[in-house]
Amino acid sequence: MFFKKVEENIELWGSEKDDTEPLLPSLPTHRTFDYVLVANKVDNEQKALRQEAFIAQLKKKNIQITRIPHDNKEFFGLRAPSAMFEDYQYLLKVSDSCNWCGDEKGAVTQATRIRIVHFILHNTYINTGENLEELLMKDVFETMFCLHERKEQKKLRKKWARWTALFRGQPVNHIKSYFGEKVALYYLWLAWYTKLLVPAAILGVIVFLYGLAFFNTNPLIKEVCDSNITMCPRCEKRCKTWQLSDSCTYAKVTHLFDNEGTVAFAMFMAIWATLFLELWKRHRAKHVSKWKVYDWCEEEEELIMELVNDPNCKAKQFRHSYLQSTLVLILVTLMLMLIIGLAHALVVFRVVAAPLMSESKWDFLKDNANLVSVFLGAVLHYITIQIMTRVNRWVSLKLCDIEKLNSLAATERSFTVKMFTFQFFTLFSSLFYVAFFLGRINGHPGNYVRLAGYRLEECHPSGCLTDLFIQMAVIMLLKQTLNNIIEFTIPWCKRLVNEKAAKKLERKCGYCYRKACRDENGCIEPCDICKLRDWLRNYHLASSDAFSLFNEFLEMVIQFSFTTIFVAAFPLAPLLALINNIFEIRLDAIKMVRLEQRLVPKKTNDIGVWTKLLEAIGVLAVIANGLVIGITSDFIPRLVYRYHYGPCAKGKLNYTDCMEGYINDTLSTAYMNNSNFDAFINPWESHNFSVTECSYRDYRNENDYSLKSQFWLVLAVRFAFIILFEHVLVLCKFIAAWFVPDNPTQVKNERLQDKLTRLKDELREKKLSKSTDV
């Protein structure tokens, strides 16, 4: 009852009530064509023969073809026969999983017609064994597309695909009727994700404000800003010693994100991720039950369409080859090694860039060499992501070709897992280095670890969390902002350019004076001029394909990863995600409805393998945030100092703050008379005076640089915290998953009643047929 009320409240707040929209709109008039093929007029005899052979194969399947030449192109309007859809409806009725969707009786929707014709086009072969995909690659045909229905398109523009509807809900029933269940479920999931981001964003802002409230009064910040401690050079030969007080601003920024509030926030986000997924499953179940696709099976529908296309077809057999699996596994491993190698290259860039910039003539670069190198590394990482996205897609497709799976749905699942894995490693390899290795494997004075002849980077005395925050903020802001600008601008610019070409071509079409052609509700076949004008309008829109929706899902799931996995380092990530998603929903809607050719409607009952990936991200978020708090942040060292080494632990109650002296306690001292300093300039110079000793961040003895007992105590507490944190949160996640059932009781009862009604109808029909026979 509680979760039902929560869901109702969320829906009332964020979803548009569209009960007036029919779940199964009536059959469109015969004016509408199911698909359009476009070909350039060719002089090449071989291409012409292939073109005619393909058209002949379509005619054998009784597909009506309207051929209209225009300028240097030929347009082929395709309309499938009603018998084809009757066969489809009958096979749905007798199928195991698709027999209660409602499509097995009544009118066939235009979305269903497009989906079936799309499948038939891609599974029609000429005598050379080539299908449409191969003919498109060989330029026998230029392109193919399905048509927008102008009346429905106008409705979607008015209520959904416009910027003024920014804070309105999604008309998911209308989207489902026009674009199919797959697109509708994407917007349903995205809207749900955006709504559930609101409490996470609010709490993230509160945690940020908590850090801001003690910006100037925190004793740790004061200790850094008022310090007279001289720090060891950040690099060899070129760098000089520096004063800890010079990094006062850096210490303040670190405290904004490395405070006690981030621990509680990380725990909250781990539980939030679980509740989000469990509540989404309930939300999805309610809608797919309403759409009558709860038990829908994509593989079974694919088999039905195979039969509709070719009654003599043979089932694609399941195959498994250990050789193929081994080959794919080896290639995936090599690809991941390449991606990790690129992350190492970024580390080398940062290691080399910092000392080189410290020699710069510009004072800003010289004084902030480390900070600038972090920013440049993040920007370079973003550029690497853009390049590797294309490489990852190509490799994933080739690996799927090697696997040769028996259905399109299985191929799509395999491609999704591979592509996401490659993208995840591309985006997060560098972040994992910054979070868990930066400043921990760099050695100590006189025995520094080097890479490409340069010393590895060190963490700031205030901690390493700011480096992770900068890396995340730059990538997240650049990725979301630039991607959205590019995503919207390219189709918009194409539309502007193509509109001019389209108007020229439309002028050549002539003008139609028939009133019936302009009546969108009429049933009269339009003239060739009106057909061509409509086809040209669709032809000049930006092309869309199977990757269009996949790219949107991938972008959002990667964002979900950023929002949950390293949220302890960046509490404002949910806020940025929320702001982005509010615009993303409307941007995608405008793009799909107004700027792009119509997506092929696909019927499904879930977001597919993305659900499993989101669950895996939720588990990884618990592990990663536990490691970030336990290893990356200074939460544990501060805790140990407060209760074991600090003034309060020693019984000095007259101290105003228990953390006084913490920064100095985390530093070790290096002396110039030590024989380990052959690699340094002797003596070190800083501000025109000689320095005989300096400090660096570590728990080491001054004489032999061996680790202090304090280091081992802190390390033990770190591990204990990580184990406790992860076990408690995993237990909470399991309890939350058990406590929130996937299917609402209402949905179960409705499905039970629906099945009973269908069985009664079948029994009634059987008795009626018997009485008729008698």
Side-chain angles (χ1 to χ4, degrees):
M1 233 11 228
F2 169 76
F3 292 107
K4 184 178 177 183
K5 287 183 178 180
V6 169
E7 288 168 356
E8 286 173 355
N9 290 336
I10 292 176
E11 283 210 28
L12 287 171
W13 175 73
S15 297
E16 179 180 308
K17 293 290 182 184
D18 54 354
D19 294 335
T20 56
E21 294 296 337
L23 292 177
L24 295 169
S26 59
L27 179 70
T29 63
H30 67 278
R31 294 180 54 181
T32 305
F33 283 84
D34 300 320
Y35 240 97
V36 176
L37 282 174
V38 184
N40 292 311
K41 289 182 179 177
V42 292
D43 298 326
N44 187 304
E45 186 179 350
Q46 290 296 323
K47 285 185 179 180
L49 287 172
R50 282 186 169 91
Q51 193 179 105
E52 291 302 325
F54 189 79
I55 297 299
Q57 289 295 323
L58 294 179
K59 286 180 178 177
K60 284 182 182 178
K61 297 177 181 180
N62 296 321
I63 293 177
Q64 182 187 339
I65 298 173
T66 302
R67 188 171 190 162
I68 303 177
H70 180 69
D71 209 24
N72 63 338
K73 300 183 185 299
E74 283 194 279
F75 291 80
F76 303 89
L78 311 179
R79 188 179 287 149
S82 57
M84 190 176 283
F85 304 113
E86 289 169 5
D87 292 343
Y88 174 79
Q89 287 181 310
Y90 174 76
L91 291 170
L92 282 183
K93 186 177 180 180
V94 299
S95 68
D96 294 328
S97 302
C98 306
N99 57 5
W100 77 300
C101 64
D103 283 2
E104 77 278 3
K105 54 188 177 181
V108 179
T109 65
Q110 183 61 21
T112 301
R113 294 176 67 96
I114 290 169
R115 184 169 68 255
I116 295 170
V117 173
H118 174 82
F119 181 87
I120 289 168
L121 286 174
H122 279 83
N123 288 273
T124 298
Y125 296 83
I126 60 176
N127 52 7
T128 59
E130 295 166 305
N131 63 3
L132 182 57
E133 188 176 347
E134 291 170 302
L135 296 176
L136 285 166
M137 289 172 64
K138 294 175 180 178
D139 205 30
V140 174
F141 291 99
E142 182 194 341
T143 188
M144 59 182 290
F145 55 87
C146 49
L147 298 169
H148 279 290
E149 299 168 71
R150 298 195 71 187
K151 183 179 177 182
E152 298 302 317
Q153 192 181 22
K154 284 179 182 177
K155 285 182 182 177
L156 285 171
R157 280 187 182 188
K158 184 178 180 181
K159 66 164 63 174
W160 182 51
R162 55 191 177 92
W163 288 114
T164 51
L166 197 65
F167 295 101
R168 291 183 65 180
Q170 315 305 307
V172 287
N173 285 341
H174 201 162
I175 297 168
K176 170 256 174 190
S177 300
Y178 192 76
F179 287 112
E181 284 81 356
K182 198 164 193 174
V183 172
L185 280 169
Y186 163 71
Y187 283 104
L188 190 69
W189 176 83
L190 182 55
W192 187 256
Y193 170 43
T194 304
K195 292 167 199 168
L196 268 292
L197 275 173
V198 172
I202 292 171
L203 192 59
V205 171
I206 291 171
V207 170
F208 176 77
L209 293 176
Y210 170 79
L212 198 63
F214 300 98
F215 199 70
N216 293 316
T217 58
N218 187 275
L220 302 183
I221 295 175
K222 284 186 174 182
E223 190 174 349
V224 172
C225 296
D226 299 340
S227 172
N228 59 357
I229 297 173
T230 302
M231 302 297 296
C232 295
R234 293 191 175 100
C235 61
E236 296 172 355
K237 298 182 181 178
R238 300 179 178 89
C239 302
K240 296 180 180 179
T241 55
W242 54 285
Q243 295 298 307
L244 181 60
S245 57
D246 294 342
S247 61
C248 179
T249 304
Y250 196 98
K252 290 179 179 179
V253 173
T254 299
H255 183 71
L256 286 177
F257 302 101
D258 190 0
N259 55 64
E260 293 76 8
T262 57
V263 180
F265 186 59
M267 296 180 71
F268 166 81
M269 286 302 293
I271 305 299
W272 173 90
T274 301
L275 286 175
F276 158 69
L277 285 171
E278 295 304 318
L279 291 172
W280 155 247
K281 290 173 186 175
R282 290 171 59 86
H283 191 57
R284 177 205 67 86
K286 187 168 64 173
H287 280 81
V288 296
S289 178
K290 187 179 179 183
W291 296 339
K292 308 296 184 186
V293 291
Y294 189 93
D295 294 316
W296 187 264
C297 177
E298 291 181 63
E299 282 91 348
E300 193 163 327
E301 193 208 18
E302 194 175 322
L303 194 62
I304 289 170
M305 290 195 289
E306 286 274 11
L307 274 170
V308 171
N309 180 47
D310 179 12
N312 300 316
C313 70
K314 294 180 180 179
K316 294 178 181 177
Q317 299 295 314
F318 288 97
R319 291 180 298 178
H320 180 264
S321 168
Y322 287 105
L323 181 63
Q324 283 182 349
S325 299
T326 304
L327 179 60
V328 169
L329 186 61
I330 291 170
L331 292 174
V332 168
T333 305
L334 290 173
M335 188 65 188
L336 294 179
M337 288 173 66
L338 172 64
I339 293 168
I340 294 170
L342 288 174
H344 287 167
L346 291 172
V347 173
V348 173
F349 168 81
R350 289 175 49 163
V351 167
V352 172
L356 290 178
M357 281 189 285
S358 65
E359 292 183 322
S360 174
K361 296 178 181 177
W362 293 301
D363 292 336
F364 177 80
L365 280 181
K366 187 184 293 185
D367 296 338
N368 301 281
N370 276 15
L371 194 61
V372 174
S373 69
V374 170
F375 271 104
L376 288 178
V379 173
L380 189 61
H381 187 195
Y382 172 77
I383 295 168
T384 306
I385 290 167
Q386 298 305 307
I387 296 168
M388 286 304 296
T389 298
R390 289 157 178 77
V391 176
N392 292 341
R393 176 179 296 179
W394 182 85
V395 172
S396 300
L397 286 170
K398 292 300 178 185
L399 290 173
C400 289
D401 289 341
I402 293 171
E403 287 178 316
K404 295 179 181 177
L405 298 168
N406 74 318
S407 68
L408 292 172
T411 304
E412 185 179 344
R413 286 195 296 270
S414 177
F415 173 80
T416 300
V417 171
K418 290 178 179 62
M419 183 67 182
F420 174 78
T421 304
F422 293 151
Q423 283 295 95
F424 184 86
F425 273 80
T426 302
L427 270 83
F428 285 90
S429 292
S430 180
L431 292 176
F432 273 96
Y433 165 76
V434 173
F436 306 127
F437 297 101
L438 178 65
R440 290 169 183 82
I441 54 173
N442 56 304
H444 56 81
N447 189 27
Y448 283 113
V449 177
R450 291 174 175 77
L451 189 64
Y454 293 90
R455 260 173 55 187
L456 288 179
E457 305 164 275
E458 296 179 18
C459 286
H460 186 270
S462 299
C464 303
L465 210 62
T466 301
D467 295 86
L468 181 59
F469 152 69
I470 291 170
Q471 192 91 348
M472 279 190 66
V474 171
I475 293 171
M476 203 169 176
L477 285 170
L478 282 177
K479 186 171 173 54
Q480 291 189 162
T481 307
L482 293 183
N483 279 14
N484 283 345
I485 291 171
I486 292 168
E487 201 176 302
F488 182 77
T489 305
I490 290 176
W492 183 72
C493 291
K494 282 183 179 178
R495 184 189 176 193
L496 288 179
V497 172
N498 290 338
E499 269 183 352
K500 295 179 181 179
K503 284 177 182 177
K504 288 180 183 178
L505 288 171
E506 286 176 16
R507 281 196 292 271
K508 293 180 182 179
C509 296
Y511 187 78
C512 173
Y513 294 93
R514 291 178 68 202
K515 206 171 189 179
C517 289
R518 293 189 292 278
D519 181 13
E520 292 178 351
N521 295 314
C523 297
I524 299 171
E525 184 77 16
C527 64
D528 284 356
I529 291 174
C530 290
K531 288 176 189 172
L532 190 57
R533 291 173 76 90
D534 186 35
W535 295 353
L536 286 170
R537 272 192 293 268
N538 285 271
Y539 170 74
H540 286 291
L541 294 173
S543 61
S544 62
D545 54 28
F547 289 113
S548 299
L549 189 62
F550 172 84
N551 291 336
E552 304 300 340
F553 257 123
L554 181 63
E555 181 184 347
M556 287 297 103
V557 174
I558 290 293
Q559 185 207 81
F560 180 82
S561 304
F562 271 104
T563 307
T564 53
I565 289 179
F566 287 121
V567 74
F570 192 22
L572 294 180
L575 178 64
L576 292 181
L578 175 64
I579 295 168
N580 174 80
N581 289 1
I582 290 170
F583 290 95
E584 178 78 25
I585 292 172
R586 215 54 55 181
L587 185 149
D588 289 345
I590 292 169
K591 193 174 61 173
M592 283 187 185
V593 175
R594 303 171 67 175
L595 302 178
E596 289 184 343
Q597 293 169 354
R598 185 175 180 175
L599 278 170
V600 176
K602 296 289 180 69
K603 190 180 282 289
T604 187
N605 64 350
D606 199 357
I607 59 174
V609 74
W610 293 113
T611 304
K612 299 294 182 185
L613 292 174
L614 289 168
E615 288 174 350
I617 291 166
V619 174
L620 185 60
V622 173
I623 298 169
N625 281 302
L627 292 171
V628 167
I629 296 168
I631 295 176
T632 312
S633 79
D634 269 11
F635 173 73
I636 298 301
R638 289 199 298 262
L639 204 65
V640 171
Y641 182 80
R642 176 186 289 271
Y643 295 107
H644 198 270
Y645 294 100
C648 294
K650 295 175 181 178
K652 299 178 180 179
L653 301 177
N654 57 330
Y655 278 82
T656 56
D657 193 278
C658 294
M659 295 304 294
E660 188 172 331
Y662 168 75
I663 296 295
N664 192 48
D665 184 70
T666 61
L667 300 176
S668 298
T669 304
Y671 293 99
M672 277 307 301
N673 57 4
N674 196 299
S675 59
N676 287 330
F677 283 97
D678 297 337
F680 290 92
I681 296 174
N682 191 1
W684 290 319
E685 293 183 357
S686 179
H687 307 290
N688 297 321
F689 60 87
S690 297
V691 177
T692 57
E693 63 180 57
C694 66
S695 299
Y696 61 98
R697 180 185 168 87
D698 210 342
Y699 296 107
R700 290 187 181 272
N701 291 307
E702 298 174 357
N703 299 323
D704 57 357
Y705 298 105
S706 60
L707 293 168
K708 295 179 180 178
S709 59
Q710 186 175 353
F711 169 84
W712 299 109
L713 177 60
V714 170
L715 185 64
V717 176
R718 285 185 192 272
F719 284 140
F721 171 82
I722 292 168
I723 293 168
L724 182 65
F725 179 89
E726 292 177 359
H727 279 69
V728 168
L729 283 187
V730 168
L731 180 63
C732 290
K733 282 170 69 67
F734 278 124
I735 292 172
W738 166 80
F739 191 70
V740 184
D742 292 351
N743 294 327
T745 307
Q746 181 185 351
V747 170
K748 291 179 181 178
N749 290 331
E750 285 175 356
R751 291 185 65 241
L752 186 65
Q753 184 61 41
D754 188 82
K755 285 181 180 179
L756 182 63
T757 305
R758 285 190 301 108
L759 290 172
K760 285 181 178 179
D761 290 342
E762 289 289 336
L763 187 62
R764 195 179 298 114
E765 285 179 15
K766 182 183 177 182
K767 289 180 179 179
L768 187 64
S769 63
K770 275 187 178 181
S771 62
T772 306
D773 292 341
V774 172

